[in-house]
Amino acid sequence: MQYAPNIRIVEMTCTGNTDHRVLLQAFEEGADGVYVAGCMEGDCHFLKGNIRARKRVNAVKKLLDEIGVGGDRLEMFNLSSAQGGRFAQIANEMTERIKSLGPSPLNKSGAKKKEGDA
Amino acid sequence: MIVAQQKPLQEIADMVSDCKKVLLVGCAGCVTVCLSGGEKETEVMSSALRIKRRLEENPLTTVTFTATRQCDPEYIAEMDEMVKDVDAIISLACGVGVQYVAERYSDKWVVPALNTNFIGGSTVHGIWEEKCGLCGDCVLHKTGGICPIIRCSKSILNGPCGGSQYGKCEISKDTDCAWALIYERMKTLGKLNKLMEIQPPKDWSTSRDGGPRRATREDVIIG
C-alpha cells in the first residue's frame, strides 16, 4: 500500500479536538491543502467528535473562501482505522485535487511570509 | 450575558486597511461565552486577517491579548505596553469594552470587531436568544418569570394581543407569543387571577427613554 509522499500527518487525539486555529496555522505555515481524517460517522469513541470536526472544517472552508485562499483546499474525510487502502486512496485523491488547484496563493512569490509576520 | 456576533471579516479588514501592525483584544467575559470574542476567536481572526493581507501583498503584523474583562479599567491597563507600537486596536468585546479601550488609549485608532446584539442566553449550544429588555424596572414577578418587555414583540403589559395565534407571535411562526407563555406559566402556578390585574402604563424613564443611565453603590466606592 502506497500513498503520495507529500502528506504530512499531524496526529490529533480525536478529530473533535481539531481547532479552527490548527487548520489556519497549517495554511499560514505553507500547506497547499489540508484534510482532516476522522472516524466513520456514528463510530466516534467520544460520540460526536467527528461530527463536530466536520462542522468546524466547513466553517473554516467558508473563511478560506472569504480571505482568498479557497475552501477547496480543505476537506474532511471519514474512514475507519482498519481502512488502510481507503487512507491511501484519500491521500492520493487529495494530492491530485491540490495539484490541480496549484500552490496555495500564500506560497506564491508576492505573498510569501515576510519578516515581521507574527 | 451580552450577546454579540462578529462583523464580516471584510468590514473589519477595511477598518484597518492602512495599518501595518494591529493589536487584537479579546474579552474573557460574555463574548467568550457566546463564542464571538474570546481568546480562540481573537486568534482565528488574527490569523484570517494576516492571511488576507499577505494575499494582498500588504502584510499585517498582529499581536493578540485577551483581557479578563474589557469593561473594567484595571484589566485593560495590562496591555499598556502592547499598544505602544501598534497602529490600531481591534476590540472583540461588546460595545462597552470597545469604549473602555478607546477611552484609555485616546491616541489610538480603536475599532469594533463585533456587533453587540442583545442581553440573553443560550437555548442550545450555538443558539442565543434575547431575554431581557433592560427596562430598569423589572416586572418578572408579575409575569411568571417571562419578560413581556423584550419577548413580546410589542412589549405590551396586558397581553396577549390579537396577533397571538396558537401560541405563536404574528411576526413569525418561529417566535413564541410571550403572553401565551406567561398565561400557561401562571396557569401552572395557579396564579391566573394575578393576570386579571390591569397593568398601568409603564414609566419608561428608568429605561433608555430617560437618557444614559448610571448605577451607584455608595458603600463600595473607593476613595
Side-chain angles (χ1 to χ4, degrees):
Chain A
M1 181 176 61
Q2 285 189 319
Y3 62 89
N6 47 276
I7 307 290
R8 179 183 164 189
I9 295 177
V10 178
E11 292 179 8
M12 306 292 284
T13 49
C14 167
T15 50
N17 199 24
T18 309
D19 194 298
H20 302 66
R21 289 171 287 190
V22 174
L23 301 173
L24 289 171
Q25 186 185 356
F27 284 103
E28 276 203 271
E29 292 188 358
D32 292 316
V34 177
Y35 66 93
V36 178
C39 299
M40 301 293 283
E41 292 193 2
D43 282 351
C44 178
H45 181 71
F46 303 103
L47 305 180
K48 292 182 177 174
N50 47 5
I51 307 283
R52 289 173 178 159
R54 181 174 290 279
K55 286 183 177 177
R56 284 183 213 141
V57 165
N58 287 340
V60 176
K61 279 165 80 77
K62 272 188 197 168
L63 183 59
L64 291 172
D65 274 334
E66 202 179 337
I67 59 182
V69 174
D72 288 350
R73 295 181 179 277
L74 174 64
E75 204 54 75
M76 169 96 193
F77 294 97
N78 295 94
L79 70 163
S80 94
S81 55
Q83 291 179 293
R86 175 67 181 141
F87 182 86
Q89 187 188 12
I90 289 169
N92 293 333
E93 271 176 28
M94 197 63 190
T95 299
E96 283 311 309
R97 183 199 289 194
I98 299 305
K99 275 185 179 167
S100 67
L101 288 170
S104 161
L106 283 166
N107 295 332
K108 289 175 183 163
S109 58
K112 284 267 187 198
K113 194 169 181 176
K114 290 179 182 154
E115 200 177 335
D117 274 11
Chain B
M1 69 178 148
I2 292 174
V3 178
Q5 291 179 303
Q6 284 188 6
K7 286 177 175 288
L9 192 75
Q10 184 64 53
E11 190 179 336
I12 300 163
D14 288 344
M15 292 179 203
V16 294
S17 58
D18 56 349
C19 301
K20 296 292 178 198
K21 183 174 183 179
V22 297
L23 170 64
L24 291 99
V25 189
C27 178
C30 310
V31 293
T32 291
V33 184
C34 70
L35 308 175
S36 54
E39 184 178 359
K40 177 178 172 177
E41 292 76 27
T42 304
E43 288 174 3
V44 169
M45 185 178 291
S46 169
S47 178
L49 285 173
R50 281 197 307 269
I51 291 175
K52 186 170 168 50
R53 289 282 293 266
R54 262 173 70 186
L55 293 180
E56 291 165 1
E57 300 187 23
N58 180 21
L60 178 72
T61 303
T62 62
V63 185
T64 59
F65 173 72
T66 303
T68 303
R69 283 195 297 278
Q70 284 191 39
C71 55
D72 266 326
E74 61 262 45
Y75 296 120
I76 300 174
E78 291 174 23
M79 57 189 197
D80 282 357
E81 287 300 313
M82 288 179 221
V83 305
K84 283 182 179 166
D85 64 341
V86 299
D87 303 315
I89 304 170
I90 300 174
S91 169
L92 285 87
C94 67
V96 182
V98 179
Q99 292 182 65
Y100 269 76
V101 173
E103 197 171 314
R104 184 168 186 93
Y105 307 110
S106 53
D107 61 334
K108 292 291 176 188
W109 178 235
V110 179
V111 301
L114 307 185
N115 290 322
T116 307
N117 301 119
F118 52 79
I119 301 284
S122 60
T123 49
V124 294
H125 199 67
I127 298 177
W128 296 268
E129 286 185 354
E130 191 165 22
K131 296 285 185 187
C132 174
L134 300 169
C135 72
D137 184 15
C138 193
V139 297
L140 288 169
H141 57 298
K142 296 176 180 173
T143 57
I146 294 155
C147 178
I149 307 299
I150 207 66
R151 294 175 67 183
C152 166
S153 304
K154 292 176 175 172
S155 297
I156 56 176
L157 291 171
N158 297 283
C161 71
S164 178
Q165 291 278 312
Y166 307 109
K168 297 291 177 188
C169 175
E170 64 186 335
I171 65 157
S172 162
K173 62 178 172 49
D174 299 323
T175 304
D176 289 328
C177 167
W179 276 100
L181 296 175
I182 291 168
Y183 176 83
E184 290 301 329
R185 174 89 173 126
M186 293 299 258
K187 192 173 161 186
T188 305
L189 293 170
K191 293 183 184 297
L192 276 179
N193 59 319
K194 285 199 174 291
L195 290 184
M196 297 308 287
E197 295 169 19
I198 303 297
Q199 298 303 317
K202 190 171 169 63
D203 176 3
W204 291 100
S205 66
T206 56
S207 185
R208 265 294 298 161
D209 300 42
R213 293 168 281 180
R214 169 179 284 184
T216 306
R217 242 189 80 178
E218 296 288 351
D219 61 321
V220 295
I221 295 175
I222 298 169

